[in-house]
């Protein structure tokens, strides 16, 4: 049952990074208060939370404290221990539910569940010993990923052929998944939001990755409307399967006009950050409204956009590149992280325009080719 949660109720957020912060900003605008748990006292949410609990996500006592103080709970990342979350919360206190989260925590179970819904994936197998890995019938090249706890390409190994198997430095009994590499034409994501009275989707996002990390996103994606519709249909199917409330993001590969499901995230997604500036309601507005029991927010996209991630190593020349753009419908978002480590997501830029031409022209300083 989805309850209506009205301001100034306290909404609890597990994780105080950039996703938590952007959810929090949307909640604060609407008059809610926020309670946040994060082990880092300098995390992006620390300075804006009404209640800040500085503790590890696996600290059951601290999670219980968060749950006691919050009307409902949400999370900014998938690796919250579901059993602990279940233990510290009432069932109507987590509108996103537990099941969608549980499935997302294991890449093998996730792909299998989605395949069983009739959605196409690349060929994949699970393995937990080298003997099993050697016996797999997959066409090379393949990618090996840890089943749990991977993000931004971490815990992944690309293998061109079987002779590279012995170069692997895997540790057992960790569990892995091996997948065929999809020589995709493009990568896309669908961001959909489950409400108590239906599902709303944004137009599809087109994503470019660099070293396994999202580099930039173009919205809407430059793919056929037929493919857009198919991707959106699959997203709705996944949301309905879990009776899921809130934002769910789904990543697909597109190859020869076919879609291959890659993974989903039961939360707002990096590819949707541009919606803060490009749409009348952002993915964060959608997420927080849905979990607070609002009726569907229908989305209107106001501009074509490009969202570019700023990583730790980009921080030095970001201001220089951004100069001159700040007056041209371009928005700089910095998350307020204190140390600019390599590959750490520090902020993003959203470039708006009336068409792709205009957006690409403004993005020239980032060396992005059409
Ligand atoms: P995560 O985002 O959790 O780190 P992903 O599975 O999304 O893990 O992998 C990150 C990126 O690596 C993908 O967006 C894609 O660019 C590339 N990649 C992952 N799996 C495959 C695959 N089977 N075929 C081709 N590219 C892949
Ligand atoms: Mg991914």
């Amino acid at each position: 049952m989805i309850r209506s949660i009205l301001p100034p109720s306290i909404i609890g957020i597990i994780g105080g990074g950039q996703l938590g912060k952007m959810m929090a900003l949307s909640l604060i605008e609407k008059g809610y208060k926020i309670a946040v748990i994060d082990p880092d006292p300098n995390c992006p949410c620390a300075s804006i939370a009404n209640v800040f609990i500085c503790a590890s996500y696996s600290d059951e006592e601290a999670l219980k404290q968060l749950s006691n103080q919050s009307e409902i709970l949400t999370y900014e990342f998938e690796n919250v221990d579901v059993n602990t979350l279940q233990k510290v919360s009432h069932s109507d206190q987590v509108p996103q539910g537990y099941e969608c989260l549980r499935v997302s925590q294991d890449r093998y179970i996730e792909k299998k569940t989605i395949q069983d819904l009739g959605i196409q994936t690349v060929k994949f197998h699970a393995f937990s010993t080298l003997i099993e890995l050697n016996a797999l019938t997959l066409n090379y090249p393949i990618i090996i990923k840890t089943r749990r706890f991977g993000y931004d390409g971490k815990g992944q190994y690309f293998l061109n052929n079987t002779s590279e198997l012995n170069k692997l430095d895997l540790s057992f009994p960790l569990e892995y998944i091996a997948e065929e590499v999809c020589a995709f034409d493009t990568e896309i994501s669908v961001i959909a939001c489950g409400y108590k009275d239906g599902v709303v989707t944004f137009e599809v996002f087109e994503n470019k990755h660099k070293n396994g990390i999202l580099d930039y996103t173009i919205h809407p994606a430059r793919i056929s409307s037929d493919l857009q519709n198919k991707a959106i249909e699959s997203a709705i199917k996944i949301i309905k399967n879990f009776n899921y409330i809130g934002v769910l993001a789904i990543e697909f590969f597109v190859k020869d006009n076919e879609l291959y499901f890659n993974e989903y995230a039961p939360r707002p997604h990096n590819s949707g950050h541009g919606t803060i500036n490009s749409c009348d309601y952002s993915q964060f507005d959608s997420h927080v409204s849905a979990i607070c029991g609002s009726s569907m927010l229908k989305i209107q996209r106001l501009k074509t956009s490009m969202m570019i991630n700023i990583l730790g190593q980009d921080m030095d020349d970001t201001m220089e590149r951004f100069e001159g753009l700040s007056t041209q419908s371009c928005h700089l978002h910095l998350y307020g992280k204190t140390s600019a480590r390599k590959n750490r997501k520090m902020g993003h830029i959203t470039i708006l325009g009336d068409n792709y031409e205009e957006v690409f022209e403004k993005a020239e300083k980032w060396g992005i080719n059409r």
Side-chain angles (χ1 to χ4, degrees):
M1 231 273 292
I2 298 305
R3 294 179 293 138
S4 260
I5 310 295
L6 298 175
S9 301
I10 300 183
I11 312 300
I13 306 176
I14 303 172
Q18 66 270 21
L19 292 169
K21 181 179 177 185
M22 288 183 272
M23 284 185 214
L25 291 175
S26 179
L27 284 163
I28 291 167
E29 181 183 289
K30 294 168 182 55
Y32 292 96
K33 293 203 159 74
I34 56 159
V36 176
I37 182 169
D38 195 291
D40 177 2
N42 297 314
C43 70
C45 273
S47 59
I48 57 170
N50 300 89
V51 177
F52 183 67
I53 301 170
C54 191
S56 144
Y57 309 119
S58 53
D59 181 335
E60 193 175 317
E61 264 312 296
L63 281 171
K64 184 73 199 153
Q65 201 187 328
L66 180 80
S67 130
N68 286 344
Q69 300 202 48
S70 310
E71 199 65 43
I72 52 170
L73 295 171
T74 186
Y75 47 82
E76 68 157 7
F77 69 115
E78 294 93 295
N79 292 320
V80 190
D81 184 80
V82 184
N83 292 337
T84 313
L85 181 63
Q86 225 162 348
K87 226 159 119 186
V88 301
S89 58
H90 319 286
S91 62
D92 68 351
Q93 210 182 1
V94 183
Q96 287 155 279
Y98 305 110
E99 202 44 32
C100 186
L101 176 64
R102 193 189 303 281
V103 169
S104 77
Q105 294 185 340
D106 182 318
R107 292 185 194 276
Y108 176 72
I109 294 174
E110 176 185 343
K111 280 211 161 71
K112 187 81 189 61
T113 304
I114 300 305
Q115 200 177 48
D116 290 347
L117 290 176
I119 297 169
Q120 178 169 246
T121 67
V122 294
K123 221 170 142 196
F124 62 94
H125 285 292
F127 66 93
S128 48
T129 63
L130 277 179
I131 297 168
E132 279 173 18
L133 172 59
N134 275 301
L136 294 183
T137 54
L138 292 175
N139 289 319
Y140 280 74
I142 63 169
I143 293 189
I144 290 175
K145 305 175 182 177
T146 49
R147 282 173 62 167
R148 294 175 154 269
F149 304 122
Y151 68 97
D152 285 346
K154 289 191 174 60
Q156 300 194 5
Y157 308 82
F158 187 99
L159 296 184
N160 283 302
N161 49 55
T162 44
S163 70
E164 292 183 357
L165 278 175
N166 52 13
K167 286 194 208 149
L168 282 177
D169 183 24
L170 306 179
S171 42
F172 295 96
L174 262 191
E175 293 188 308
Y176 295 92
I177 177 173
E179 314 177 348
E180 287 186 356
V181 167
C182 178
F184 52 76
D185 304 315
T186 185
E187 287 189 86
I188 60 164
S189 52
V190 177
I191 297 183
C193 188
Y195 290 86
K196 62 181 179 195
D197 54 349
V199 179
V200 175
T201 58
F202 287 84
E203 288 162 277
V204 172
F205 299 81
E206 177 180 335
N207 303 324
K208 301 284 180 219
H209 290 80
K210 207 196 257 172
N211 305 320
I213 306 173
L214 184 64
D215 184 16
Y216 63 94
T217 293
I218 297 163
H219 190 227
R222 296 165 296 171
I223 59 169
S224 68
S225 53
D226 184 42
L227 268 183
Q228 293 232 20
N229 292 338
K230 280 191 184 140
I232 286 171
E233 260 169 45
S234 296
I236 294 173
K237 205 184 229 183
I238 296 171
I239 289 210
K240 291 199 167 149
N241 175 65
F242 290 113
N243 284 323
Y244 180 82
I245 297 289
V247 159
L248 181 86
I250 299 129
E251 300 176 11
F252 294 94
F253 304 128
V254 180
K255 183 176 171 246
D256 300 334
N257 245 8
E258 297 260 340
L259 290 172
Y260 297 85
F261 167 90
N262 177 35
E263 64 172 353
Y264 74 74
R267 54 165 170 78
H269 191 254
N270 194 170
S271 61
H273 291 357
T275 59
I276 294 175
N277 302 113
S278 73
C279 296
D280 55 354
Y281 297 112
S282 73
Q283 62 163 349
F284 301 100
D285 298 331
S286 304
H287 181 69
V288 303
S289 299
I291 62 171
C292 290
S294 144
S295 292
M296 288 188 280
L297 300 185
K298 303 263 169 65
I299 304 297
Q300 218 188 325
R301 180 176 54 80
L302 308 170
K303 290 283 184 181
T304 302
S305 72
M306 184 186 293
M307 189 282 315
I308 307 170
N309 269 335
I310 302 169
L311 304 182
Q313 62 271 31
D314 307 324
M315 282 300 275
D316 284 346
D317 55 6
T318 286
M319 288 307 176
E320 196 185 310
R321 283 177 167 180
F322 195 64
E323 213 188 294
L325 287 178
S326 58
T327 53
Q328 297 186 52
S329 271
C330 297
H331 300 262
L332 174 62
H333 298 249
L334 291 175
Y335 307 139
K337 294 184 183 176
T338 39
S339 81
R341 287 195 299 274
K342 183 159 187 257
N343 288 344
R344 190 175 196 207
K345 290 175 181 165
M346 302 299 289
H348 69 267
I349 284 162
T350 303
I351 298 175
L352 302 178
D354 287 328
N355 49 48
Y356 294 119
E357 281 295 302
E358 194 185 324
V359 163
F360 275 101
E361 222 164 83
K362 291 181 195 171
E364 233 160 47
K365 285 190 191 162
W366 275 268
I368 291 171
N369 297 318
R370 291 149 218 237

